[in-house]
Amino acid sequence: MITTDKLSANALDFIDDVKLQMLLQRGAPEPEQVRDVIAKSLSKAPLQLDETAVLLRAENRDLIGEIFEAARKLKRDVYGNRIVLFAPLYIGNYCVNDCAYCSFRRSNKDAVRRTLSPEEVARQVEALEDRGHKRLILVFGEHPKYNAEFIADTVRKVYSVKKGNGEIRRVNINAAPMDHEGFRIIKEAGIGTYQIFMETYHHETYQKVHPENTLKGDYLWRLDALNRAFEAGCDDMGIGALFGLYDWRFEVLGLVAHSLFLQEHYGVGPHTISFPRLQPALGVQLSNQYPVNDYDFKRLVAILRLSVPYTGMILTARERAELREEILGFGVSQIDAGSRIEIGGYTEIGDAQVQAIEKEQFRLGDLRSLDEVMRHLLNAGYLPSFCTSCYRTGRTGEHFMEYAIPGFIQRFCAPNGILTLAEYLHDYASEHTRKAGERLIRKEMEKIEDKGILKLVEERLRKIKREGKRDLYF
Ligand code: SAM
Ligand code: SF4
């Protein structure tokens, strides 16, 4: 199996199951306790584990209502009304692991296995660019075929594909953990975020769903992955847990513990947290002992928002459209849209609202096209953004944290959101979406207080519209 000399300098199994369980068993908190924790979080201070546990133990509906309201407020204060959009691109589903919940697992003989060739990657990317996407996350099974060189080559390929005004400006990846050398190789290819989910932080459950004789069966190798990534130069990292494998409260504490560990040892917390909910998948007969209902799902999103005020939160198309729209306000900063998770799906299935379950990892809840999602966001008053400026101007890791302060949004995020939205409206939007977008841009411009910035944004909007200029950012 994995040799320990490949682990990071800070390799440590910092998840203490007994301690986390005890924090969850302390009994219902007094309302004042809950309000004190909310107040701390509204001052934008990250919460400690015992404070998050107070929010998790609150069962009174009114108190939970206060938690929801606070999460909405914090989201508005830190992120404004922006929602960043991206799409997943599945590259290959060969896998040596046997994760009980995933249809890519090696023992699933019904899965149609496939790896996109470089030419096929190019066709998928063109199809995504034709719809208006600028940010992708590449997804891989774990297999010797998908080593760091292969992943790096695929990332370079994606960046190289340009069609019309289309280009991909940020390529994130979700792939199996690597050693330091592997992370160096993918960093050099220009990846944005390296994302990896622990799936479950609960040791016994982890061993149950990840057989011991598989690479993924090694809990510490996975928990340590982001330490190695950071040591190899990737300072933009995403964590996540697959909700439904174990008690959702425990997983929230696991995510917060992970976040605090990275902050303490590397000076940077995760850039994003994901909270996928277990979905039905081909050949998966997992008895769902810990289903998370919609109400608890909303609670966990709100509590995560309050616990890690400056961490982006990703809500995927696993969830139904109506629920996604409701949860957006609770603190989500990024969503995928127009997603196809069949390998080759962007050209072979397109925007048809059907799924080819034998070719994909799990069922999606939201099959709307990017244009439709954009229109809904705009009509609900959100500013959909394709901005990739922070990562391209070096505002990542520690520097991103420094910038994630009030004023930053007004100076950078909102103007960049407006400019990337204007590009989208001009190049890709349907008539209805374009009208909704132009209305929103007018409203957003009225909010810009700094006259200097306002003038610059107006100038750049003119350049986009009249001179056909693209990729103008602050
Ligand atoms: N193979 C790599 C790994 O396991 O880290 C990366 C990609 S895996 C294809 C992406 C994520 O999909 C997993 O980390 C897991 O959380 C999620 N996933 C797997 N099966 C799922 C299911 N049935 N429902 C929802 N999400 C699932
Ligand atoms: Fe393979 Fe990842 Fe699916 Fe596990 S979750 S079977 S590692 S693709």
Side-chain angles (χ1 to χ4, degrees):
M1 289 290 294
I2 292 135
T3 52
T4 44
D5 61 339
K6 292 199 153 193
L7 290 170
S8 76
N10 289 307
L12 173 73
D13 184 353
F14 54 85
I15 298 290
D16 180 343
D17 291 18
V18 176
K19 178 179 157 197
L20 300 191
Q21 300 285 18
M22 276 168 49
L23 287 174
L24 292 173
Q25 282 161 7
R26 283 191 181 159
E30 293 299 324
E32 279 324 304
Q33 252 183 305
V34 174
R35 287 179 192 136
D36 285 349
V37 174
I38 289 179
K40 176 172 178 187
S41 133
L42 287 180
S43 75
K44 299 178 193 137
L47 299 184
Q48 295 303 307
L49 282 177
D50 56 338
E51 294 165 329
T52 297
V54 167
L55 302 183
L56 290 166
R57 294 200 311 273
E59 288 297 337
N60 174 301
R61 286 251 164 185
D62 292 340
L63 277 179
I64 293 172
E66 289 180 36
I67 291 174
F68 288 165
E69 201 33 60
R72 281 198 199 95
K73 177 166 168 29
L74 194 63
K75 143 107 185 146
R76 279 196 304 270
D77 288 356
V78 177
Y79 293 91
N81 59 342
R82 275 172 319 115
I83 297 285
V84 169
L85 288 144
F86 69 96
L89 175 55
Y90 277 66
I91 303 295
N93 65 352
Y94 284 87
C95 194
V96 294
N97 290 317
D98 213 20
C99 311
Y101 44 83
C102 178
S103 66
F104 292 172
R105 70 180 201 278
R106 69 181 183 207
S107 63
N108 183 8
K109 301 287 178 257
D110 296 327
V112 177
R113 306 276 167 184
R114 179 171 172 196
T115 304
L116 295 179
S117 68
E119 294 67 38
E120 287 173 325
V121 169
R123 297 294 86 74
Q124 295 301 304
V125 174
E126 284 174 353
L128 284 154
E129 290 178 355
D130 280 346
R131 291 164 171 81
H133 280 292
K134 299 282 185 268
R135 304 168 62 109
L136 300 185
I137 181 152
L138 309 187
V139 186
F140 303 81
E142 179 159 11
H143 196 274
K145 285 173 190 273
Y146 313 140
N147 59 19
E149 296 289 355
F150 175 87
I151 294 175
D153 285 345
T154 313
V155 169
R156 280 188 284 265
K157 179 81 200 171
V158 172
Y159 279 127
S160 75
V161 178
K162 319 251 180 214
K163 187 165 177 221
N165 282 335
E167 61 179 351
I168 300 302
R169 299 176 184 158
R170 180 176 172 114
V171 181
N172 299 330
I173 66 165
N174 181 320
M178 294 162 219
D179 59 12
H180 288 85
E181 185 50 23
F183 282 122
R184 266 190 285 276
I185 292 170
I186 58 164
K187 175 68 189 169
E188 265 173 36
I191 63 158
T193 306
Y194 170 65
Q195 182 189 68
I196 181 172
F197 304 155
M198 192 60 203
E199 320 296 8
T200 172
Y201 286 89
H202 184 248
H203 288 80
E204 195 187 318
T205 307
Y206 190 92
Q207 291 325 144
K208 215 160 64 191
V209 294
H210 304 115
E212 213 180 333
N213 60 349
T214 60
L215 290 175
K216 200 155 165 181
D218 189 326
Y219 184 99
L220 182 58
W221 178 248
R222 198 163 178 93
L223 189 65
D224 186 54
L226 289 173
N227 303 352
R228 298 191 298 279
F230 191 90
E231 290 170 6
C234 308
D235 59 356
D236 192 328
M237 305 171 286
I239 63 173
L242 181 54
F243 282 88
L245 296 177
Y246 187 61
D247 181 358
W248 64 269
R249 296 172 184 81
F250 186 97
E251 306 296 12
V252 169
L253 287 183
L255 288 166
V256 173
H258 202 164
S259 204
L260 292 169
F261 181 90
L262 291 171
Q263 179 71 48
E264 185 187 335
H265 290 85
Y266 297 99
V268 184
H271 182 173
T272 56
I273 291 192
S274 301
F275 29 88
R277 240 189 329 180
L278 194 59
Q279 304 298 318
L282 177 77
V284 169
Q285 274 103 30
L286 194 63
S287 66
N288 195 349
Q289 288 175 11
Y290 295 95
V292 184
N293 63 35
D294 289 353
Y295 181 67
D296 286 344
F297 190 59
K298 283 189 258 179
R299 285 171 72 188
L300 79 86
V301 176
I303 294 173
L304 277 172
R305 173 68 298 143
L306 294 176
S307 302
V308 288
Y310 287 124
T311 304
M313 306 227 307
I314 302 182
L315 176 64
T316 70
R318 288 174 179 85
E319 304 300 336
R320 303 182 317 280
E322 319 77 71
L323 186 66
R324 288 230 284 177
E325 286 185 5
E326 189 185 347
I327 288 181
L328 276 186
F330 283 67
V332 170
S333 49
Q334 294 191 27
I335 60 170
D336 56 333
S339 297
R340 307 275 14 164
I341 59 173
E342 306 84 356
I343 308 216
Y346 291 107
T347 53
E348 291 160 23
I349 298 175
D351 283 339
Q353 301 206 345
V354 293
Q355 282 194 278
I357 193 88
E358 70 289 355
K359 292 188 191 157
E360 63 189 15
Q361 200 192 4
F362 46 78
R363 263 207 187 285
L364 284 184
D366 185 356
L367 289 170
R368 292 173 300 169
S369 67
L370 174 62
D371 188 73
E372 215 180 325
V373 173
M374 292 287 287
R375 194 162 56 249
H376 276 264
L377 288 174
L378 291 163
N379 287 334
Y382 289 104
L383 169 59
S385 170
F386 294 93
C387 176
T388 51
S389 151
C390 277
Y391 135 85
R392 289 157 83 212
T393 49
R395 295 191 301 256
T396 63
E398 202 180 346
H399 306 289
F400 177 77
M401 289 305 192
E402 279 168 29
Y403 280 107
I405 48 173
F408 181 82
I409 301 173
Q410 285 80 5
R411 280 216 324 274
F412 297 102
C413 309
N416 286 331
I418 293 172
L419 296 177
T420 55
L421 172 61
E423 286 186 353
Y424 176 85
L425 298 179
H426 208 268
D427 293 339
Y428 306 104
S430 65
E431 184 63 16
H432 277 96
T433 305
R434 195 174 53 70
K435 285 197 174 132
E438 282 168 355
R439 270 197 304 275
L440 191 102
I441 289 181
R442 281 195 293 278
K443 274 199 208 145
E444 290 298 313
M445 301 288 282
E446 282 166 19
K447 288 195 219 158
I448 302 179
E449 286 166 11
D450 185 314
K451 295 286 168 265
I453 294 178
L454 183 63
K455 195 158 165 270
L456 285 174
V457 178
E458 282 168 347
E459 246 167 52
R460 290 179 185 199
L461 281 175
R462 254 194 310 277
K463 285 187 176 162
I464 291 171
K465 226 172 164 173
R466 308 245 168 89
E467 297 169 29
K469 291 267 190 315
R470 294 292 174 269
D471 204 16
L472 303 171
Y473 56 86
F474 295 94

